[in-house]
Amino acid sequence: MAKKTKQTIEETLEALNKLYGVGSLMKGDGHISNIESVPHKTIGFNLASNIGGLPRGKLIQIEGNSHVGKTTFIGEAIASFQAQGDNVALSDYEYAFDKAYGVKLGIDMSSLYFSQMENAELGYEIIIDMIKSGNFTAIFIDSLNMMVSKERVEKGISDKSVAAEARVHDIALKKIKPMLSSYGVSLIGISQYRDNIGAMGAGNEKSLAGGNAWKFGADMRIKLSRLKTVK
């Protein structure tokens, strides 16, 4: 019986790309590039990030308790992207954006685009369309806690809709995550901790709304906390 000749790696690469399409299997030196970043106004954060700021084309989650500076941090982040000449969009579910404070943080309000959708599904759909348009390089969501699923909106206040938002985030991020690097868009979501009622000292007493999709899918997670109150 004749011995089967083993393919070289180049022959295997050529065969698989012919079978599954060009780009199905590639060498890292021709495909993987260095991560570009946008410097934030907080110099300490830029140093701690190890890449000089907020990464482009990545999924970023900003988390923390209330009143720890999340709004200030994202406001300065928006201004930082705008300073690079980028078009920035804000998906606002809090309905509490302060224009005057935004201007103080350096935001150019005339070039900041707002989206206020009635449910999470529509919110993610317009985000997908903004990414595909190629006209935006940074999209902020404020906040993930306030993104309400269509199912929950249509039900009564007393009706239970277990894990509705978690399912929406999970499905949406599976579609969006591969698109971010392809289009060079950074998607930044803000989350606030909530108390786990009944934890009573056992396990984690804090959690993030919307399940674990953002937690596990994020390329960068930024935790903001208060060290002390300045009087």
Side-chain angles (χ1 to χ4, degrees):
M1 183 176 179
K3 185 178 179 180
K4 188 175 181 180
T5 304
K6 183 180 178 180
Q7 282 185 325
T8 65
I9 185 65
E10 288 77 14
E11 291 172 334
T12 299
L13 187 65
E14 181 181 356
L16 292 177
N17 277 288
K18 184 177 180 180
L19 180 62
Y20 296 104
V22 177
S24 301
L25 184 64
M26 299 171 286
K27 291 183 177 181
D29 60 351
H31 177 66
I32 300 174
S33 58
N34 295 326
I35 297 175
E36 296 182 25
S37 65
V38 174
H40 192 272
K41 289 190 173 183
T42 303
I43 298 175
F45 166 75
N46 295 334
L47 295 173
S49 71
N50 290 324
I51 58 171
L54 295 164
R56 289 189 179 277
K58 300 296 181 181
L59 186 69
I60 305 166
Q61 183 179 32
I62 301 171
E63 58 188 68
N65 290 313
S66 60
H67 303 99
V68 296
K70 296 190 299 296
T71 299
T72 300
F73 187 88
I74 67 164
E76 291 180 339
I78 290 172
S80 297
F81 275 97
Q82 288 182 327
Q84 301 291 316
D86 296 342
N87 288 326
V88 181
L90 173 62
S91 292
D92 179 28
Y93 293 90
E94 296 282 348
Y95 295 90
F97 186 85
D98 188 333
K99 178 180 178 180
Y101 188 55
V103 172
K104 286 183 179 180
L105 295 175
I107 297 175
D108 180 1
M109 299 302 299
S110 65
S111 62
L112 177 63
Y113 298 85
F114 276 87
S115 171
Q116 293 177 323
M117 308 304 289
E118 63 181 16
N119 60 58
E121 286 89 340
L122 287 176
Y124 276 123
E125 287 296 336
I126 193 171
I127 285 174
I128 289 172
D129 288 338
M130 283 192 288
I131 294 171
K132 288 181 177 179
S133 75
N135 291 315
F136 296 90
T137 48
I139 302 171
F140 292 78
I141 302 176
D142 187 16
S143 65
L144 301 177
N145 298 60
M146 297 303 292
M147 292 184 78
V148 183
S149 67
K150 182 179 180 182
E151 179 182 352
R152 192 179 293 261
V153 169
E154 293 177 347
K155 286 190 174 184
I157 293 176
S158 61
D159 293 333
K160 294 182 179 180
S161 183
V162 180
E165 279 78 38
R167 289 195 297 270
V168 173
H169 290 306
D170 183 62
I171 294 171
L173 290 186
K174 286 177 179 176
K175 292 181 179 180
I176 292 174
K177 185 73 185 288
M179 298 170 57
L180 297 179
S181 58
S182 297
Y183 289 89
V185 179
S186 299
L187 180 61
I188 301 99
I190 298 101
S191 300
Q192 183 169 309
Y193 292 128
R194 63 181 183 183
D195 294 327
N196 281 334
I197 299 174
M200 300 179 66
N204 195 346
E205 296 184 0
K206 298 283 186 179
S207 66
L208 295 170
N212 291 320
W214 274 82
K215 177 181 177 180
F216 294 148
D219 298 292
M220 175 182 283
R221 295 178 66 201
I222 304 167
K223 180 180 179 180
L224 301 180
S225 58
R226 179 186 295 176
L227 295 178
K228 63 179 180 178
T229 301
V230 179
K231 296 182 180 180

